[in-house]
Amino acid sequence: MSVIDLRSDTVTRPTAAMKEAMAQAEVGDDVFGEDPTVNELEDYSARLLGKEAGLFVASGTMGNFVSLLSHCGRGDEVLVARGAHIFQYEQGGASSLGGIVLNPIGLSKMQALRASDLIDNISPRDQHKPITRLVCLENTLNGIPVPLENIDAVAEAAACHDLKTHMDGARIFNAALALKTDVKRLVEKIDSVQFCFSKGLSAPAGSMVVGNREFIDKARRARKVLGGGMRQVGLLAAACRVALDKMIDRLEEDHENARKLAEGVAKLDSLHVDLSICQSNMVWIETNFPGQRLKARDLVEELKNLGILVLATAPEKIRAVTHYGITNSDIDRTIAAFNTAVTTVLEKADIQTGSRS
Ligand code: TLP
């Protein structure tokens, strides 16, 4: 039985074209600025996003961290949505290692920062308070595309208060596609952007940070102190260049598969899917069955027995992410597996509570 891995789009493997490009890549010492493949990727990425310069880094986490370190000093404050990766899933590294104060804002995990949140939360210039320096956005935010108007409004409010803006655009091309907006326009008013090659774009590793030259110079220093100065890393950059050339347009297929999965699972009695938030490649499934008999982790275990891998992100919540390599018929199999797994979990729960023999 083949395994359908929907835990994340990070599980994608490099394509044949990427491996070929890696084999052919011209390389040099990137810390000396002498790797032509990295230099070209940085320039190309910066132009693609409408910024002056780029910096190739090992991962999304490193890209976000060097960006925060470059915008902020010790004790400075960053406003960030409570559900954002920078706050939830980066170990609070900006605080623990960088001395930066993260101020998590927002009502629910899925909610993006609005301009009003910003204005309400900027610390007053008072010796008791940190100095607010930066606002972080994320797009897509947990798979939800944040609309251009929202981003522009936040960026304009930030600029009025002399704050910088950073976009965690790990899945910025998914966002641009879902919003039918040119990626350059989507980040036009944002000072720095981090995007990932190793998610839906399927490269084996790597992220890009873009911004103005002064910011990238600082980010380059930050990358070095974090041990992220790699040498003949054009090998990876070559695969990432293929990702930009060949893997952006096909993200549409992932979005269609996610929608199909969401609609299929939404039809099952014991599960709930909010279809309004399924707009890119992520599906959120809630197991809010009466009596709490259907726990996300039990369902995930049962699905695993059927060859389907998904993540339980909360006691009642499951995340499934579509990506390159997942086919339309994989989605049919996944929907059928959800149906079977729900029945099995509920039967086991009934046996345990003695309501069935
Ligand atoms: N996200 C991973 C996990 O860490 C949760 C995933 O499977 O979705 N920003 C965003 C919005 C991300 O989703 C991620 C990774 C990162 C940054 C960090 O990227 P990496 O894993 O390359 O450090």
Side-chain angles (χ1 to χ4, degrees):
M1 179 175 57
S2 65
V3 170
I4 300 173
D5 192 345
L6 300 168
R7 288 171 302 167
S8 181
D9 44 9
T10 58
V11 303
T12 43
R13 310 269 163 84
T15 64
M18 288 177 190
K19 290 181 189 166
E20 176 61 24
M22 292 173 86
Q24 303 298 330
E26 245 187 87
V27 295
D29 188 326
D30 182 46
V31 175
F32 286 122
E34 291 171 3
D35 189 307
T37 311
V38 172
N39 292 343
E40 200 277 333
L41 182 73
E42 291 178 342
D43 290 348
Y44 182 78
S45 302
R47 269 184 277 125
L48 191 63
L49 276 84
K51 305 294 175 202
E52 278 176 18
L55 179 74
F56 189 48
V57 293
S59 66
T61 303
M62 181 181 274
N64 286 332
F65 192 24
V66 300
S67 299
L68 268 63
L69 287 174
S70 306
H71 286 301
C72 303
R74 291 184 71 80
D76 285 346
E77 181 184 56
V78 174
L79 305 181
V80 57
R82 189 168 66 88
H85 197 274
I86 287 178
F87 182 67
Q88 293 278 345
Y89 299 111
E90 296 182 11
Q91 284 190 21
S95 306
S96 60
L97 302 177
I100 295 165
V101 181
L102 291 178
N103 184 353
I105 295 159
L107 303 172
S108 89
K109 198 179 164 209
M110 302 295 192
Q111 230 171 8
L113 274 190
R114 297 154 303 190
S116 55
D117 296 317
L118 206 104
I119 293 155
D120 293 346
N121 286 284
I122 295 171
S123 290
R125 288 294 170 123
D126 171 323
Q127 62 176 316
H128 298 88
K129 299 286 190 180
I131 294 175
T132 314
R133 290 269 181 227
L134 178 69
V135 182
C136 287
L137 296 171
E138 182 175 317
N139 210 0
T140 58
L141 174 68
N142 292 307
I144 305 170
V146 181
L148 178 63
E149 309 79 67
N150 181 334
I151 297 168
D152 279 358
V154 169
E156 282 159 20
C160 281
H161 292 84
D162 212 14
L163 306 179
K164 296 289 184 199
T165 44
H166 171 71
M167 170 71 75
D168 176 354
R171 297 183 179 86
I172 196 70
F173 297 105
N174 295 84
L177 172 69
L179 296 164
K180 297 187 174 47
T181 306
D182 177 44
V183 70
K184 202 185 278 187
R185 176 63 192 92
L186 206 50
V187 298
E188 189 182 321
K189 301 194 174 175
I190 300 291
D191 294 299
S192 62
V193 183
Q194 177 280 125
F195 71 87
C196 293
F197 295 106
S198 184
K199 301 211 162 46
L201 301 187
S202 308
S207 281
M208 186 62 68
V209 178
V210 296
N212 70 25
R213 236 172 263 291
E214 191 188 340
F215 164 82
I216 290 296
D217 287 346
K218 285 189 194 166
R220 198 173 290 280
R221 282 186 61 78
R223 183 186 71 172
K224 190 74 180 82
V225 77
L226 294 175
M230 293 182 280
R231 303 293 176 171
Q232 287 72 29
V233 72
L235 285 183
L236 283 178
C240 295
R241 183 57 209 262
V242 174
L244 291 181
D245 287 343
K246 299 222 159 83
M247 304 302 280
I248 294 178
D249 289 346
R250 64 147 307 283
L251 292 173
E252 180 102 57
E253 191 186 332
D254 300 341
H255 293 198
E256 283 165 9
N257 281 337
R259 188 75 199 176
K260 176 173 165 172
L261 176 60
E263 286 172 357
V265 174
K267 289 196 188 112
L268 305 179
D269 276 347
S270 312
L271 299 173
H272 174 71
V273 180
D274 179 353
L275 292 175
S276 73
I277 62 167
C278 179
Q279 296 167 38
S280 68
N281 69 335
M282 262 182 219
V283 184
W284 294 95
I285 297 148
E286 284 171 63
T287 61
N288 56 348
F289 193 77
Q292 303 289 309
R293 288 183 305 149
L294 192 59
K295 296 195 177 66
R297 66 161 193 275
D298 295 340
L299 194 55
V300 168
E301 276 311 300
E302 216 46 61
L303 284 164
K304 201 169 166 184
N305 295 335
L306 298 167
I308 311 291
L309 305 182
V310 289
L311 280 184
T313 60
E316 75 300 336
K317 211 171 251 188
I318 288 174
R319 184 185 85 162
V321 187
T322 54
H323 51 78
Y324 178 65
I326 298 296
T327 62
N328 200 289
S329 64
D330 288 338
I331 300 297
D332 292 328
R333 202 181 118 198
T334 304
I335 296 167
F338 263 97
N339 196 10
T340 310
V342 167
T343 309
T344 313
V345 172
L346 289 176
E347 274 173 7
K348 281 184 184 167
D350 282 347
I351 291 165
Q352 263 173 13
T353 56
S355 47
R356 261 188 226 180
S357 53

